[in-house]
Amino acid sequence: SNRVLMTGYGAYGLNVDLRFRLAHLPLLNRDWIIAFAHARGGGDLGRKWYDQGKELNKLNTFHDFISCAEYLVANNYTESKNMAAISSSAGGLLLGYVSNSRPDLFKVLVLKVPFVDVLTAMTDATLPLTVHEYNEWGDPKNK
């Protein structure tokens, strides 16, 4: 079974960066597969795709990432015991959700500088980025 490193982000309308990364070379030289998940919340498929993965629709981001991983297993690209995932910042929230909802799906998760406590951050308007983040995560004071 192939070893897979899966990456995704799904926030801020950002596109997944598909450019070659030198950091992947050691894995590629060892026959790893690098998989990029285009989860809703990202901008890969336009504004509607982005809107379907933010605020009250954030669960779509998590389910998309999980569906991509399940596809790789179901279509015999790999097995869960050979799958790792990596993401950073808001992608840490994505992997945090995955680790709790599907702990069986990945052997290893790497969260680089993860943003995992959205509720605390969004309820403290004195934090430097909070007010600017309301468009992405919502303002908890508004229903």
Side-chain angles (χ1 to χ4, degrees):
S1 177
N2 298 306
R3 292 169 291 176
V4 170
L5 176 64
M6 192 169 145
T7 186
Y9 192 70
Y12 302 108
L14 297 176
N15 295 337
V16 173
D17 184 2
L18 301 176
R19 292 179 292 178
F20 174 78
R21 291 187 184 107
L22 192 57
H24 289 160
L25 190 57
L27 297 176
L28 295 169
N29 284 337
R30 290 169 177 81
D31 298 323
W32 280 63
I33 294 171
I34 310 297
F36 299 92
H38 297 283
R40 282 176 281 186
D44 301 288
L45 297 173
R47 180 65 192 212
K48 185 176 177 185
W49 188 254
Y50 164 57
D51 289 338
Q52 290 175 347
K54 67 180 221 176
E55 296 180 340
L56 295 177
N57 297 315
K58 194 66 194 161
L59 283 175
N60 291 330
T61 304
F62 310 143
H63 295 159
D64 289 349
F65 191 82
I66 289 168
S67 292
C68 289
E70 289 172 337
Y71 177 89
L72 293 171
V73 172
N75 287 279
N76 299 313
Y77 287 96
T78 192
E79 300 172 70
S80 292
K81 68 179 183 178
N82 291 325
M83 197 154 38
I86 188 169
S87 196
S88 60
S89 191
L93 182 66
L94 168 63
L95 295 187
Y97 181 91
V98 169
S99 72
N100 285 289
S101 67
R102 288 297 308 276
D104 61 302
L105 198 51
F106 292 91
K107 183 168 186 171
V108 174
L109 296 172
V110 179
L111 290 74
K112 298 177 358 183
V113 291
F115 179 45
V116 291
D117 192 357
V118 177
L119 183 59
T120 298
M122 293 299 99
T123 55
D124 186 353
T126 65
L127 293 173
L129 297 176
T130 297
V131 175
H132 302 289
E133 298 284 334
Y134 287 157
N135 187 46
E136 181 71 20
W137 309 104
D139 181 347
K141 291 178 253 158
N142 297 336
K143 293 185 181 185

